[in-house]
Amino acid sequence: MAATSTPLAGAYTALGVVFARTNRRSDAIDAWKQAVAMDAGDFSAMYNLIVNLVEAGRGQEAQPYADRFITTAPPELAQDVAAIRRLIGR
């Protein structure tokens, strides 16, 4: 995943990972949403957010993030874009 461009967004991204690893998915989703709101280029947070929303049965909520990820991710994230496309059935 690409590095985040703002330190605070990066902190929320990392917090989301900690929450996810401690089985606090809802908190992780909230942290990743905050990271993406602060930095639309935080593709790591956006990727994790999409995957966890879909896994939580919240695919409708994941859709706008998936659309943004697919259309704005840089070329070096092509594999991640392909993974998101598969995940959402595109």
Side-chain angles (χ1 to χ4, degrees):
M1 292 295 140
T4 60
S5 62
T6 65
L8 192 52
Y12 276 104
T13 299
L15 183 60
V17 171
V18 171
F19 283 144
R21 288 184 180 164
T22 57
N23 296 317
R24 293 174 59 185
R25 178 177 280 172
S26 181
D27 293 326
I29 287 170
D30 290 342
W32 290 321
K33 281 183 178 182
Q34 185 66 35
V36 171
M38 296 175 103
D39 182 357
D42 187 338
F43 293 101
S44 180
M46 200 178 320
Y47 181 90
N48 288 327
L49 175 59
I50 296 161
V51 169
N52 279 271
L53 283 170
V54 170
E55 288 177 354
R58 296 163 61 181
Q60 288 282 92
E61 192 176 345
Q63 193 64 52
Y65 296 105
D67 292 342
R68 185 176 354 156
F69 189 90
I70 290 167
T71 60
T72 63
E76 60 267 19
L77 296 180
Q79 288 183 328
D80 294 327
V81 169
I84 293 298
R85 285 182 188 273
R86 284 190 303 275
L87 187 65
I88 63 168
R90 271 217 221 140

